[in-house]
Amino acid sequence: MFIEDPDGVDDDGKDKITKLIQTEEMPFYWTHISTSESFPKYSHALVRRPSQDNNFDASVEPQIVSPFYQFFEKYIKKFCLRNGIYFENIFRAIVNATHYIPDQNHTDPHIDFTQNHLVMIIYLNDSTGNTIIFDKTYDGENVVFPGKEFPILKEVTPSLGKILCFDGKYYHANRMPDPGERRLVSVFNLLT
């Protein structure tokens, strides 16, 4: 399943996102490692990731850790309703800010969670940091493939307000934005 909605966030939401980012109302925190130490980033957690995949199911309450969670959740739920998507729980939500990293084409191919899930991305700005979805699904062992290349199934260019949804079994990554540019996304993982 791959669904791309260029107008997933309405104009009022786009204005709010721009205000949050430009006024620095939403704080970002340095993370020295994302998929590997080669890819540090700034992030703002909305829902804390479970410590272990197998300890999470539909009965576990999401650990909401940000006052901005409801703003982004509203657009995820609207998107799901419009597209007939049903999910059991939201187990992770984050806002990521990535920057240019020299000599890197894209981040490490990875999956976000080993259980069946959907990845939903709300693009928070226009960027050259495309999302790459590889033609490779979870192999039952490797969550991350540092430095690997796989055939590309789909590539999506970020634009403010676009929402992308795909099956979380596909390894994915993001291209580096151009020097001096930030790639801003909100990523939600939905247990299915």
Side-chain angles (χ1 to χ4, degrees):
M1 170 205 313
F2 300 96
I3 303 172
E4 189 177 340
D5 183 351
D7 299 310
V9 176
D10 58 31
D11 288 340
D12 288 341
K14 290 177 186 177
D15 290 344
K16 174 72 172 168
I17 289 167
T18 301
K19 180 179 179 252
L20 284 175
I21 303 307
Q22 288 179 348
T23 63
E24 299 180 3
E25 185 177 331
M26 178 186 298
F28 285 86
Y29 302 95
W30 177 252
T31 305
H32 75 282
I33 186 170
S34 56
T35 53
S36 69
E37 290 182 0
S38 298
F39 301 103
K41 66 180 179 185
Y42 288 93
S43 63
H44 178 96
L46 302 171
V47 172
R48 185 171 290 125
R49 179 193 296 263
S51 60
Q52 294 182 350
D53 286 5
N54 58 0
N55 289 342
F56 193 86
D57 61 31
S59 67
V60 177
E61 285 293 318
Q63 294 183 354
I64 299 169
V65 293
S66 171
F68 301 104
Y69 169 75
Q70 283 78 16
F71 170 76
F72 293 103
E73 177 200 39
K74 169 178 63 176
Y75 291 103
I76 294 298
K77 287 187 171 179
K78 283 182 181 180
F79 179 92
C80 288
L81 188 61
R82 276 194 312 270
N83 291 286
I85 296 170
Y86 303 96
F87 62 93
E88 294 182 16
N89 212 338
I90 295 172
F91 62 86
R92 172 184 173 245
I94 194 164
V95 177
N96 288 330
T98 54
H99 298 82
Y100 173 74
I101 297 175
D103 302 320
Q104 298 289 346
N105 184 31
H106 57 72
T107 58
D108 298 317
H110 66 281
I111 60 166
D112 295 341
F113 200 62
T114 59
Q115 292 186 40
N116 291 335
H117 69 287
L118 296 174
V119 176
M120 296 191 67
I121 300 173
I122 303 174
Y123 294 99
L124 308 181
N125 69 336
D126 298 338
S127 168
T128 55
N130 288 4
T131 300
I132 304 167
I133 302 165
F134 296 101
D135 192 10
K136 178 165 178 58
T137 57
Y138 178 54
D139 64 6
E141 293 181 23
N142 297 302
V143 174
V144 178
F145 280 99
K148 293 284 186 179
E149 293 290 335
F150 298 112
I152 295 173
L153 184 63
K154 185 169 184 62
E155 192 160 342
V156 178
T157 301
S159 65
L160 175 60
K162 181 187 289 184
I163 297 180
L164 171 67
C165 176
F166 61 93
D167 190 322
K169 70 183 177 188
Y170 286 93
Y171 288 92
H172 56 280
N174 68 269
R175 293 202 184 278
M176 296 297 105
D178 287 342
E181 182 181 286
R182 285 192 303 178
R183 176 185 186 268
L184 295 161
V185 297
S186 178
V187 180
F188 274 69
N189 295 129
L190 311 178
L191 189 66
T192 57

